[in-house]
């Protein structure tokens, strides 16, 4: 006999508890459904639970009807650590004046077999962002060392004093620990205005969790960081395109010169870029200079939904597709950063469009990453861009299974691998 997971709610005093009378609910797109216990895993270490203001909790009663636990009980969601993808979002009954939620993932959470559980899947077992891997005292000591060694290097200061100390960025911490993937931020500007951009928001109601880098580093500043890291670090990788910047391709000339200079000094390690793929001509030049790997981000393989979310300026969805083509032709390791949202990414029309992209451009990897955004806010965009009268989704697990079956050589994961 299967156990029903119970709803988890936040009480009037801020206490988070289970509510045995109601079966836990989750959400895909705008549809609310009971949570499937076969998709549950124990709440992963490093997750955070938070209550959702202005959003009373809901669950299913014994007759299968949606019910509120009582006045003052708010919905609870889980923020998952890196490497995990949400299969179902938190369900709630949104009040008219509810504030916009900040830019996080709102995974459903329930009480099951004596503990908190979430409908989620671990797609990457790389430990490079695991909190247990970081001795922060050691990181701070290393930052001070670097600051003494390179007193005039603004990138060292930025990644140490802002990225590590203010944002707790694991990639930046790994730079100072001399291992794995290290960031190189270069661009304060962007040619898109994504609805869920984490480095700039124009709406007063919502804050971006990071602020963009306020200067353009020199080739010398980049090389001072990149060369020792690539030369010595295990799993060495440097990445342009970070959460604390805009679109790195806008600094194409600078990156091209930096790559040429780095490659004159060391052939070791992976040079990578995280990008929106908006400037295929720049991608081509960077590949010729010695770029090894590229990750192009998409919320959707459907041009209408892509454009509605990215709000591109001076480029189009076709340019992004051209970047995929050029990067593949140049022999780069190409990943799709697929911003995943239950009920939208697994829509049958989206699956058809994504399969076409995979067949055409044959990327090496799909990075499944949660789209961090207020679910209702995103659904307004989705419904405007690709209206659909009925739920047409198959579920994220079925989507992954389908892609796995049809494209068995494409690697699934979350992090950029060294190549
Ligand atoms: S492409 Fe990246 S930096 Fe530019 S608006 Fe979108 S999320 Fe922000």
């Amino acid at each position: 006999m299967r156990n029903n997971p119970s709803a988890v709610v936040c009480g009037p005093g801020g206490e988070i508890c289970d509510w045995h009378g109601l079966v836990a609910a989750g959400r895909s797109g705008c549809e609310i459904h009971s949570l499937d216990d076969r998709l549950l895993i124990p709440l992963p270490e490093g997750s955070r639970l938070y209550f959702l203001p202005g959003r009373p909790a809901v669950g299913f009663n014994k007759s299968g009807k949606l019910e509120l636990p009582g006045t003052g009980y708010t919905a609870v969601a889980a923020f998952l650590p890196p490497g995990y993808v949400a299969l179902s979002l938190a369900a709630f009954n949104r009040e008219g004046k509810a504030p916009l939620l900040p830019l996080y993932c709102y995974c459903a959470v329930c009480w099951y077999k004596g503990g908190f559980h979430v409908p989620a899947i671990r797609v990457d077992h790389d430990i490079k962002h695991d909190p247990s891997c970081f001795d922060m005292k050691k990181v701070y000591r290393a930052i001070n060392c670097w600051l003494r060694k390179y007193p005039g290097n603004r990138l060292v200061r930025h990644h140490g004093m802002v990225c590590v100390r203010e944002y707790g960025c694991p990639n930046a911490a790994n730079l100072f620990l001399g291992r794995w993937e290290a960031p190189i931020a270069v661009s304060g500007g962007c040619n898109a205005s994504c609805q869920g951009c984490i480095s700039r928001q124009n709406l007063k109601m919502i804050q971006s969790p990071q602020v963009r880098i306020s200067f353009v580093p020199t080739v010398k500043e980049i090389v001072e960081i990149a060369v020792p890291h690539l030369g010595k670090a295990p799993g060495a990788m440097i990445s342009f395109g970070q959460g604390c910047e805009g679109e790195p391709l806008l600094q194409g000339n600078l990156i091209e010169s930096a790559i040429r200079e780095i490659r004159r000094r060391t052939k070791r390690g992976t040079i990578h870029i995280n990008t929106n793929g908006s400037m295929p001509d720049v991608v081509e030049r960077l590949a010729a200079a010695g770029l090894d790997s590229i990750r192009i981000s998409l919320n959707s393989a459907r041009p209408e939904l892509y454009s509605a979310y990215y709000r591109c300026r001076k480029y189009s969805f076709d340019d992004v597709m051209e970047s995929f083509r050029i990067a593949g032709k140049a022999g780069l390791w190409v990943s799709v950063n697929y911003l995943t949202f239950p009920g939208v990414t697994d829509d049958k029309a989206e699956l058809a469009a994504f399969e076409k992209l995979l067949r055409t451009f044959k990327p090496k990897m799909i990075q499944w990453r949660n789209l961090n955004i207020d679910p209702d806010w995103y659904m307004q965009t989705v419904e405007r861009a690709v209206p659909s009268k009925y739920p047409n989704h198959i579920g994220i697990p079925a989507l992954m299974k389908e892609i796995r079956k049809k494209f068995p050589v494409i690697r699934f994961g979350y992090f950029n691998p060294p190549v």
Side-chain angles (χ1 to χ4, degrees):
M1 204 182 108
R2 281 168 52 190
N3 274 324
N4 280 326
S6 310
V8 166
V9 300
C10 178
E15 69 285 3
I16 290 180
C17 55
D18 59 316
W19 193 274
H20 273 299
L22 292 177
V23 173
R27 163 183 178 159
S28 292
C30 290
E31 184 210 36
I32 295 183
H33 51 80
S34 56
L35 285 186
D36 182 344
D37 59 340
R38 290 165 300 186
L39 303 181
L40 298 177
I41 58 170
L43 185 71
E45 208 185 320
S47 303
R48 272 176 289 154
L49 293 183
Y50 30 47
F51 74 95
L52 309 181
R55 290 158 176 85
V58 291
F60 288 94
N61 63 20
K62 282 196 185 116
S63 341
K65 289 221 169 84
L66 213 51
E67 191 177 296
L68 271 65
T71 317
Y73 288 93
T74 309
V76 175
F79 180 78
L80 303 174
Y84 290 85
V85 176
L87 304 176
S88 192
L89 301 174
F92 47 75
N93 183 28
R94 189 177 188 279
E95 288 169 348
K97 284 188 195 145
L100 213 53
L101 294 170
L103 298 168
Y104 296 114
C105 165
Y106 296 93
C107 184
V109 60
C110 61
W111 188 260
Y112 184 61
K113 293 188 175 171
F116 289 114
H117 279 65
V118 284
I121 180 171
R122 186 167 193 176
V123 287
D124 205 315
H125 290 268
D126 195 323
I127 52 157
K128 67 181 167 192
H129 285 192
D130 271 17
S132 60
C133 291
F134 296 94
D135 174 347
M136 290 317 288
K137 280 194 187 139
K138 212 167 151 188
V139 178
Y140 296 146
R141 274 200 302 276
I143 293 173
N144 289 338
C145 254
W146 277 67
L147 288 171
R148 279 197 299 276
K149 193 165 174 195
Y150 302 109
N153 189 317
R154 293 167 299 167
L155 259 187
V156 171
R157 184 160 294 279
H158 173 77
H159 286 315
M161 303 309 284
V162 180
C163 301
V164 174
R165 286 198 169 259
E166 287 182 31
Y167 307 146
C169 169
N171 276 355
N174 283 328
L175 164 70
F176 294 100
L177 293 174
R179 63 188 188 185
W180 311 330
E181 181 177 357
I184 308 270
V186 291
S187 177
C190 190
N191 49 5
S193 180
C194 294
Q195 193 183 349
C197 180
I198 59 162
S199 61
R200 183 162 299 162
Q201 284 292 328
N202 297 325
L203 283 181
K204 280 209 180 92
M205 304 176 279
I206 195 145
Q207 243 194 342
S208 60
Q210 301 194 8
V211 173
R212 288 185 188 163
I213 189 168
S214 58
F215 60 92
V216 179
T218 61
V219 170
K220 180 171 176 277
E221 286 171 312
I222 296 172
V223 169
E224 270 178 0
I225 287 185
V227 170
H229 187 81
L230 290 175
K232 284 200 219 116
M237 181 172 203
I238 56 149
S239 293
F240 298 99
Q242 296 296 319
C244 60
E245 65 176 314
E247 171 49 46
L249 292 178
L250 294 183
Q251 290 297 337
N253 290 344
L254 170 70
I255 298 178
E256 185 183 359
S257 305
I259 293 176
R260 289 195 191 282
E261 189 53 36
I262 292 165
R263 281 302 180 223
R264 253 196 291 280
R265 298 175 187 218
T266 178
K267 298 278 181 265
R268 191 174 180 272
T270 302
I271 303 182
H272 171 85
I273 191 165
N274 299 310
T275 171
N276 62 18
S278 54
M279 301 167 81
D281 52 323
V282 179
V283 171
E284 191 162 28
R285 276 170 33 218
L286 299 186
L291 185 73
D292 302 294
S293 164
I294 187 169
R295 187 185 81 185
I296 300 176
S297 293
L298 297 173
N299 69 313
S300 170
R302 290 177 281 179
E304 308 81 14
L305 182 51
Y306 175 88
S307 306
Y309 175 83
Y310 270 77
R311 301 184 287 210
C312 331
R313 292 190 297 264
K314 297 189 186 161
Y315 81 95
S316 70
F317 183 78
D318 289 345
D319 292 312
V320 182
M321 296 303 108
E322 181 62 2
S323 287
F324 273 112
R325 191 188 68 76
I326 283 178
K329 191 166 162 232
L332 303 188
W333 175 274
V334 183
S335 300
V336 189
N337 189 32
Y338 202 28
L339 302 171
T340 306
F341 188 97
V344 176
T345 314
D346 53 321
D347 184 284
K348 286 180 191 161
E350 177 67 26
L351 173 59
F354 193 47
E355 281 184 10
K356 185 170 163 218
L357 185 155
L358 298 177
R359 254 193 315 276
T360 310
F361 302 113
K362 302 182 176 52
K364 299 264 197 304
M365 181 176 190
I366 302 168
Q367 295 188 19
W368 301 94
R369 294 198 166 213
N370 300 305
L371 178 59
N372 291 342
I373 198 164
D374 180 315
D376 289 318
W377 194 33
Y378 186 55
M379 287 313 296
Q380 285 170 13
T381 302
V382 173
E383 280 165 359
R384 255 197 327 268
V386 283
S388 146
K389 287 215 171 61
Y390 49 91
N392 203 19
H393 50 265
I394 58 173
I396 301 287
L399 161 76
M400 289 183 174
K401 203 168 156 197
E402 192 68 12
I403 291 175
R404 171 58 60 244
K405 191 172 81 194
K406 291 190 177 149
F407 304 92
V409 297
I410 297 185
R411 178 166 163 180
F412 281 14
Y414 189 99
F415 300 106
N416 294 315
V419 295

